[in-house]
Amino acid sequence: MGDKKIVIYQLLPRLFGNTNTTNKTYGSLEENGTGKFNDIDEKALNGLKELSVNYVWYTGIIAHASLTDYSKFGIPNSDADVVKGIAGSPYAIRDYYDVDPDLAVNVPNRMQEFENLVQRTHAAGLKVIIDFVPNHVARGYHSNVKPKGVEDFGENDDTTKSFSPKNDFYYLNGQNFMVPDIDKVPNPTDSLKDYQFNESPAKATGNNSFSAKPKDDDWYETIKLNYGVDYQNGEKTYFDPIPPVWVKMKDILVYWSKKGVDGFRCDVAEMVPVEFWQWMIPQVKKEKPDLIFIGEAYNPKVYSQYLNQGGFDYLYDKVGLYDALKKLIRNQPDADVAAISQAKNEVQGFDDKMLRFLENHDEERIASKGFAGDANFALPAMVVTATLGKSPVMVYFGQEVGEPAKGIEGFGKDDNRTTIFDYWGVPNHQKWMNNGLFDGGQLDENQKDLREFYKNLLKISSQNEAISNGDFYEVPQQEINNNRVYAYFRYTNDQRLLIISNFNRTESFEGKINLPSIVLNNNQPKNPVDLLSNKNLEMPAGDALNIKLAPNSSQIIQF
């Protein structure tokens, strides 16, 4: 993207194109419907471009375990005892070389339909990201469509050894896998279960559980892959010679990159040794230099290692900025803008490598009852998210129209999130989709205003060089003297912006912000204009701007 700010739009094709509004709890594909690759057409992609998007993260592309029957197409059924939900988790991969048949109009032609989506996305001037799930696979993994010469995971394992660097899996010798005691409300999947799953010897579970009977909150539907780390013996490593899993995973990434994929969001990247990424990323980029790798990461202590040694382009900024902003959005008593400053300082030196967001498939929807209850409460936080640094910003589909994630979809229960496990329609998003017109025709005025705010903000953040490529200067908190107001300058030689956000829901902020000499750079202030409202503001009084900021609002002042 050169110096242009990356704007990512995350969507699940299974949900994105679904116009069915039935929304029956644990509904089947026939009852609740599903979106298809073909639904993401030129109109849909142009709708994303209105948000200044330049990358689309298509979530749930690769074939995963599911309870929908595709056996007539030669796709084996998954065992209900090790599947979460009806549609199944996109992170329990059953075949790395196949795509989800739910997403195809013509199932035998499913890969071509995906490739056509990639071509449409590129034709619209957008790039494609998909998930790479390196840490684990579905129980019952087997590739039906793998290229000639490719070996399945575990195919040549010595199952008499609990650990071997040559094995793809970890084994619990002398023990058979036992389905966990899942003490949940009865649901329609119960009739498909016999509470048995034939796995002997049992394999370690994806979240590093070395129990033959995982707990019900373990990732029991998945098997941990072996990257040469002996977890049961002090995490001793065996990286020379290169473990077979490393080579298989590199080949999988090359396979997808050759299909036109431009980037990979790497699931639980920190659970895979950094040495693998250090070995693999340069090799795959040798084939396609412009590829980007985004790591899902939650441990700030290893951020620099995974960026500098591992070679990631970007990492999640979740436990830093996101967590700080969530408290402010929710108006918690302990919320303080000092936490934004702290989060920014913690990633000093690699701030431009931190992917920033307020929603994704793992997090609660802003408008949900468990988060803020109203998407408008997040507008000041979204301004900070989009403008704090040069780094990428991400929007999750439906966020821009205030999707509240109401209802019990199935496995996820009523958890303030949009399900990734079940078939469902996403109501506010469906109003924007407007039966395939993708014109917002069914949105109410508040939802239209919200989408316009996102359009305007993301346009500002992607088209102004001070944001996409400028320096950062934080306004000292003692100058503002308000723990719910945060301000900073973004500037280059040619452009200067003051960005200020008031997180207080009821009180306005008035005060003076001094213009530091490093920002002015011997150039006098020009007529100030708020880029968000496109309104002219009061001329600076000397080297200070007079600020009048309404509750729950922001200004991006060019001066």
Side-chain angles (χ1 to χ4, degrees):
M1 301 301 298
D3 289 335
K4 192 172 183 183
K5 192 176 183 74
I6 290 177
V7 180
I8 300 171
Y9 191 90
Q10 183 194 3
L11 65 89
L12 281 77
R14 181 204 292 163
L15 304 178
F16 182 86
N18 187 20
T19 56
N20 187 317
T21 59
T22 303
N23 283 0
K24 176 184 175 182
T25 300
Y26 277 107
S28 67
L29 185 154
E30 290 74 23
E31 290 169 321
N32 281 356
T34 184
K36 305 288 185 183
F37 293 129
N38 291 0
D39 294 326
I40 307 168
D41 58 14
E42 187 178 0
K43 292 193 294 290
L45 293 167
N46 284 337
L48 305 191
K49 289 178 73 174
E50 290 177 356
L51 297 170
S52 299
V53 168
N54 40 46
Y55 276 85
V56 187
W57 168 13
Y58 293 118
T59 303
I61 296 298
I62 300 178
H64 53 270
S66 166
L67 296 186
T68 301
D69 186 350
Y70 287 102
S71 56
K72 67 181 178 182
F73 299 106
I75 299 170
N77 288 328
S78 300
D79 189 311
D81 290 293
V82 287
V83 176
K84 291 179 177 176
I86 298 284
S89 168
Y91 297 96
I93 302 296
R94 66 161 178 79
D95 188 343
Y96 271 113
Y97 289 98
D98 202 358
V99 295
D100 181 5
D102 285 347
L103 307 180
V105 173
N106 179 7
V107 173
N109 197 41
R110 58 192 179 277
M111 186 60 79
Q112 186 60 56
E113 291 186 25
F114 169 68
E115 291 172 358
N116 293 345
L117 171 61
V118 172
Q119 290 168 10
R120 281 195 303 280
T121 308
H122 288 163
L126 304 171
K127 296 196 174 191
V128 172
I129 296 171
I130 67 169
D131 286 285
F132 172 51
V133 188
N135 177 67
H136 49 264
V137 294
R139 288 204 135 89
Y141 179 94
H142 174 68
S143 178
N144 281 336
V145 298
K146 60 185 183 291
K148 191 175 180 180
V150 171
E151 293 177 353
D152 249 352
F153 289 100
E155 188 176 316
N156 294 313
D157 280 9
D158 181 351
T159 61
T160 67
K161 295 180 178 177
S162 58
F163 168 80
S164 166
K166 296 178 181 178
N167 282 351
D168 294 337
F169 299 125
Y170 299 91
Y171 296 92
L172 305 172
N173 295 121
Q175 301 179 70
N176 297 328
F177 176 80
M178 290 183 285
V179 174
D181 296 322
I182 303 172
D183 184 21
K184 296 189 185 286
V185 178
N187 67 71
T189 68
D190 292 345
S191 62
L192 303 173
K193 297 176 181 177
D194 61 6
Y195 300 94
Q196 302 289 322
F197 181 74
N198 184 22
E199 183 181 285
S200 182
K203 301 181 181 80
T205 293
N207 60 317
N208 293 4
S209 169
F210 284 78
S211 169
K213 186 175 184 177
K215 300 191 293 291
D216 65 356
D217 59 352
D218 283 330
W219 306 346
Y220 62 82
E221 78 280 25
T222 68
I223 312 166
K224 174 78 175 181
L225 286 165
N226 174 12
Y227 281 80
V229 181
D230 189 353
Y231 287 98
Q232 293 180 293
N233 287 290
E235 298 190 20
K236 191 174 179 183
T237 59
Y238 299 84
F239 298 153
D240 186 12
I242 296 298
V245 163
W246 291 28
V247 178
K248 288 172 181 171
M249 285 303 190
K250 184 203 77 170
D251 291 345
I252 286 164
L253 287 162
V254 170
Y255 172 84
W256 288 103
S257 68
K258 286 182 175 177
K259 291 191 178 295
V261 170
D262 304 295
F264 297 94
R265 177 268 187 190
C266 302
D267 190 60
V268 291
E270 297 157 308
M271 294 185 75
V272 173
V274 71
E275 290 85 355
F276 164 72
W277 302 109
Q278 182 182 19
W279 173 85
M280 178 277 295
I281 289 176
Q283 293 191 67
V284 180
K285 285 195 174 190
K286 198 179 295 180
E287 305 267 349
K288 192 172 181 178
D290 292 338
L291 276 174
I292 64 169
F293 285 84
I294 301 169
E296 179 192 17
Y298 301 107
N299 181 6
K301 292 178 182 176
V302 299
Y303 285 175
S304 61
Q305 186 183 18
Y306 274 73
L307 289 165
N308 298 326
Q309 181 185 344
F312 276 96
D313 297 286
Y314 307 104
L315 298 177
Y316 273 31
D317 195 349
K318 194 277 178 191
V319 299
L321 185 66
Y322 171 90
D323 285 353
L325 291 172
K326 186 171 185 176
K327 287 185 175 183
L328 288 158
I329 296 167
R330 296 181 65 186
N331 199 32
Q332 293 179 208
D334 61 338
D336 194 315
V337 295
I340 302 175
S341 183
Q342 181 181 343
K344 177 84 172 171
N345 289 333
E346 283 179 354
V347 295
Q348 201 164 12
F350 45 89
D351 178 83
D352 58 344
K353 301 288 189 180
M354 304 307 295
L355 170 66
R356 290 177 170 137
F357 54 83
L358 290 181
E359 286 191 357
N360 63 41
H361 67 279
D362 283 321
E363 306 302 338
E364 293 176 314
R365 291 284 194 175
I366 297 160
S368 69
K369 63 186 179 187
F371 192 153
D374 183 342
N376 290 294
F377 287 140
L379 299 188
M382 192 61 211
V383 169
V384 173
T385 301
T387 66
L388 190 67
K390 306 172 188 177
S391 56
V393 59
M394 184 170 75
V395 174
Y396 187 39
F397 83 109
Q399 175 183 342
E400 74 279 18
V401 290
E403 174 55 37
K406 290 179 182 175
I408 301 173
E409 306 110 331
F411 178 82
K413 303 296 182 275
D414 192 4
D415 65 352
N416 306 310
R417 296 167 177 84
T418 296
T419 181
I420 63 169
F421 303 104
D422 286 280
Y423 300 106
W424 200 251
V426 183
N428 284 16
H429 167 71
Q430 287 177 326
K431 293 174 185 177
W432 172 72
M433 188 166 44
N434 195 18
N435 293 310
L437 294 177
F438 297 98
D439 62 359
Q442 297 177 37
L443 297 173
D444 64 27
E445 289 307 308
N446 180 57
Q447 292 157 352
K448 288 177 181 176
D449 289 346
L450 186 64
R451 193 170 195 275
E452 281 300 313
F453 179 90
Y454 273 83
K455 275 174 63 175
N456 189 27
L457 171 62
L458 294 170
K459 183 178 180 181
I460 290 166
S461 65
S462 61
Q463 292 189 1
N464 285 274
E465 67 168 13
I467 295 171
S468 61
N469 205 35
D471 290 325
F472 172 89
Y473 181 95
E474 184 177 74
V475 176
Q477 200 54 36
Q478 60 264 33
E479 188 176 322
I480 297 173
N481 196 30
N482 187 318
N483 74 347
R484 297 298 172 104
V485 177
Y486 187 66
Y488 49 94
F489 295 93
R490 299 296 313 282
Y491 62 99
T492 65
N493 288 335
D494 299 317
Q495 187 182 35
R496 299 168 305 205
L497 301 175
L498 169 64
I499 301 166
I500 183 165
S501 289
N502 181 9
F503 293 91
N504 196 303
R505 293 185 181 183
T506 56
E507 295 180 13
S508 298
F509 171 78
E510 292 193 27
K512 283 188 176 183
I513 302 290
N514 293 315
L515 304 177
S517 57
I518 192 173
V519 174
L520 285 173
N521 195 23
N522 296 319
N523 293 312
Q524 288 305 303
K526 301 171 185 173
N527 292 337
V529 58
D530 174 19
L531 300 183
L532 282 172
S533 64
N534 203 29
K535 290 180 179 176
N536 292 318
L537 302 178
E538 187 180 321
M539 274 297 288
D543 287 344
L545 280 169
N546 290 315
I547 302 297
K548 295 179 181 178
L549 196 56
N552 192 56
S553 70
S554 301
Q555 290 180 332
I556 300 176
I557 303 170
Q558 182 170 267
F559 59 91

